[in-house]
Amino acid sequence: MLRWIVFIAIYCIMGFYSLQAIKTASRFPWVYYAFMALGLLVLGNFIYQFTFGDSEGSVLNRPKSYAFGFLIAMLTFEIITIVFLFSEDIFRTFSALIARTFGSSTEFSLPARRRFLSMIAMGIAAIPFGALLYGMYRGKYNFKVLKYDLEFEDLPEGFHNYRITQISDIHSGSFDNRKKIEYAVDLINQQASDVILFTGDMVNNIAQEMVPWKDLFSTLTAKDGKFSILGNHDYGDYVRWETPELKARNLEALKELQKEMGFDLLLNESRYLQKGGDKLALVGVENWGRGGFKKAGDLKKAVSQINKDDFKILMSHDPSHWEDVVIQDEYHYHLTLSGHTHGMQFGIEIPGWVKWSPVKWRYKYWAGIYEELGQYINVNRGFGFLGYPGRVGIWPEITVIRLRKKGLV
């Protein structure tokens, strides 16, 4: 209860402070009241969804996600506005002190706020505020197909120009628009890749979230099949289960769902893909993540049935596994496919110019292709979304990677 009181108090203080910019910039009282009503509505909805409306315990459902998203948008507007107001208030305070000390007046009086500065503050604050709302309305379904060509000297000739489609982080429990997901599934199939690889987090919390989408994702096709691994959200670790048996049953249900959809789920296992007399080793590990995430991945077990000299593609959900374990392993993993970061669903990307997201402060390898010690990783930005129910600048991704053998056309 105390944390709610503190949170409400801080939110109201911030709202009152940022209201001063609106009062300075606008002469119409209805604008002030509209801002206060919006702020209280956002706060009230957030409190309701995470207390009285919280019938699902720790499960982050769609109503909670939207309540969180609107709160983030409102707080962003207020924080940016407050930065301008606070800077001006420091200037106003010093001006009043100088006037009181060296001027003829004996009274301490703050100069009036400057209207143009309040308008600038509101204008700048409106940009991320609008972007966050746009991300919730359209950005989360702004699917992009990103294509890469990767060359290898030791790629078996039969796999020259072999095409891989990677998807990751479906998070089906967040979906709220079937037509958009139908479009995205069609877009995946249009790539006509040789194989489809899914790198974890099919659900947010429970297997049941995938049931309404099972028929749709069952239509994904590739001539060499569909393969998958588990991500940290697939284990049901973020739900308060009544018994360990219910949690285990949920995981088995998700595994069965993947099988019914035509995915070959690799649980610290490997498979060989064949092209004539050539073969390629596909390795899949369970989730292994740094910083408190589940470490069920067993790389040694996963490669126990393949040869050290095989050309290897590793599926590992969390890119910290590649950084901490894979690239230093005695085996050479030519290409690793990961996801997990979502690119934080927020950032700025201008191909060839800028690629930035706050998630870079947590993950060194957070989006796109990286190379270390002659080994590649692709960190997929994710198909779905979680927490904040939108995307700004970091769009949902379908990756197509073409393998090429150096020296061949």
Side-chain angles (χ1 to χ4, degrees):
M1 177 60 72
L2 179 61
R3 63 181 180 180
W4 279 112
I5 294 173
V6 172
F7 168 73
I8 292 169
I10 293 173
Y11 180 89
C12 291
I13 291 170
M14 291 175 61
F16 177 78
Y17 198 25
S18 57
L19 178 64
Q20 307 313 306
I22 297 175
K23 284 187 173 182
T24 303
S26 176
R27 302 289 187 261
F28 302 102
W30 68 266
V31 176
Y32 325 150
Y33 298 131
F35 176 79
M36 289 188 289
L38 179 62
L40 292 174
L41 181 63
V42 168
L43 176 63
N45 182 50
F46 181 81
I47 294 172
Y48 173 78
Q49 295 299 340
F50 282 84
T51 53
F52 304 106
D54 186 11
S55 61
E56 298 181 67
S58 59
V59 175
L60 186 61
N61 54 26
R62 281 195 292 270
K64 282 184 182 179
S65 293
Y66 276 99
F68 176 71
F70 287 124
L71 181 74
I72 290 297
M74 198 69 185
L75 286 174
T76 301
F77 180 88
E78 291 178 353
I79 289 170
I80 294 175
T81 304
I82 287 170
V83 168
F84 278 84
L85 290 182
F86 187 69
S87 300
E88 185 185 25
D89 284 347
I90 292 175
F91 174 80
R92 292 168 65 212
T93 301
F94 274 111
S95 297
L97 286 171
I98 292 170
R100 172 70 178 80
T101 304
F102 301 104
S104 57
S105 174
T106 58
E107 295 184 3
F108 180 83
S109 178
L110 289 174
R113 295 187 186 277
R114 290 170 290 184
R115 185 166 182 262
F116 83 93
L117 192 61
S118 292
M119 294 183 70
I120 291 174
M122 292 173 58
I124 293 176
I127 295 173
F129 178 78
L132 287 166
L133 295 181
Y134 173 84
M136 295 166 63
Y137 174 59
R138 298 197 61 167
K140 61 188 177 184
Y141 295 130
N142 186 23
F143 294 97
K144 301 296 182 184
V145 178
L146 302 184
K147 298 183 178 183
Y148 305 99
D149 284 355
L150 297 180
E151 287 191 335
F152 303 89
E153 291 183 353
D154 54 348
L155 179 71
E157 287 193 20
F159 287 90
H160 180 62
N161 286 330
Y162 193 78
R163 287 165 58 88
I164 299 166
T165 289
Q166 180 199 1
I167 55 174
S168 191
D169 300 87
I170 288 174
H171 287 290
S172 55
S174 299
F175 294 158
D176 56 11
N177 189 320
R178 188 172 182 87
K179 287 190 178 297
K180 296 294 186 181
I181 304 305
E182 288 175 352
Y183 164 77
V185 169
D186 287 343
L187 192 58
I188 294 170
N189 282 332
Q190 287 171 22
Q191 306 314 308
S193 290
D194 296 281
V195 68
I196 294 175
L197 305 180
F198 170 65
T199 48
D201 276 3
M202 186 162 280
V203 297
N204 294 347
N205 299 286
I206 58 176
Q208 185 66 26
E209 296 168 3
M210 193 63 197
V211 172
W213 310 97
K214 171 186 167 183
D215 60 329
L216 189 53
F217 282 88
S218 296
T219 65
L220 290 174
T221 58
K223 55 187 175 183
D224 289 343
K226 304 181 292 189
F227 298 86
S228 62
I229 58 172
L230 297 176
N232 57 297
H233 280 268
D234 294 324
Y235 295 90
D237 287 345
Y238 309 119
V239 178
R240 293 194 293 266
W241 299 98
E242 293 181 5
T243 66
E245 290 75 20
L246 286 175
K247 181 180 180 182
R249 198 179 306 164
N250 173 76
L251 181 56
E252 291 306 312
L254 182 62
K255 292 177 182 178
E256 185 61 28
L257 267 172
Q258 295 209 26
K259 182 179 179 180
E260 292 172 359
M261 289 187 289
F263 284 96
D264 184 354
L265 178 61
L266 303 184
L267 301 168
N268 296 322
E269 299 173 277
S270 62
R271 303 284 188 271
Y272 277 116
L273 303 178
Q274 300 277 157
K275 287 293 178 184
D278 292 323
K279 64 181 181 180
L280 177 154
L282 179 64
V283 182
V285 295
E286 294 196 49
N287 191 80
W288 191 104
R290 183 201 306 148
F293 288 106
K294 181 182 286 291
K295 290 180 172 61
D298 188 335
L299 193 57
K300 298 300 182 186
K301 180 182 177 182
V303 299
S304 61
Q305 302 300 313
I306 67 173
N307 299 315
K308 185 175 182 179
D309 295 331
D310 287 329
F311 188 96
K312 293 175 286 295
I313 294 177
L314 172 65
M315 301 165 65
S316 180
H317 178 69
D318 191 319
S320 67
H321 186 221
W322 188 71
E323 181 181 359
D324 292 354
V325 177
V326 175
I327 57 176
Q328 301 295 339
D329 191 80
E330 60 178 326
Y331 277 30
H332 183 88
Y333 295 90
H334 299 77
L335 173 62
T336 297
L337 302 176
S338 297
H340 182 64
T341 71
H342 300 201
M344 203 174 166
Q345 298 168 210
F346 176 86
I348 301 171
E349 283 200 85
I350 303 174
W353 291 86
V354 178
K355 186 175 80 172
W356 178 88
S357 168
V359 79
K360 68 176 291 184
W361 298 322
R362 173 72 187 272
Y363 292 97
K364 181 178 180 180
Y365 310 101
W366 60 273
I369 297 284
Y370 303 88
E371 182 184 4
E372 295 285 353
L373 302 176
Q375 301 171 88
Y376 290 97
I377 186 173
N378 179 63
V379 185
N380 185 284
R381 293 160 180 80
F383 183 93
F385 49 93
L386 180 70
Y388 165 61
R391 285 179 176 265
V392 179
I394 306 292
W395 311 120
E397 175 181 343
I398 298 162
T399 311
V400 178
I401 297 174
R402 183 170 65 161
L403 306 180
R404 295 179 57 81
K405 185 174 179 66
K406 284 186 178 180
L408 295 184
V409 178

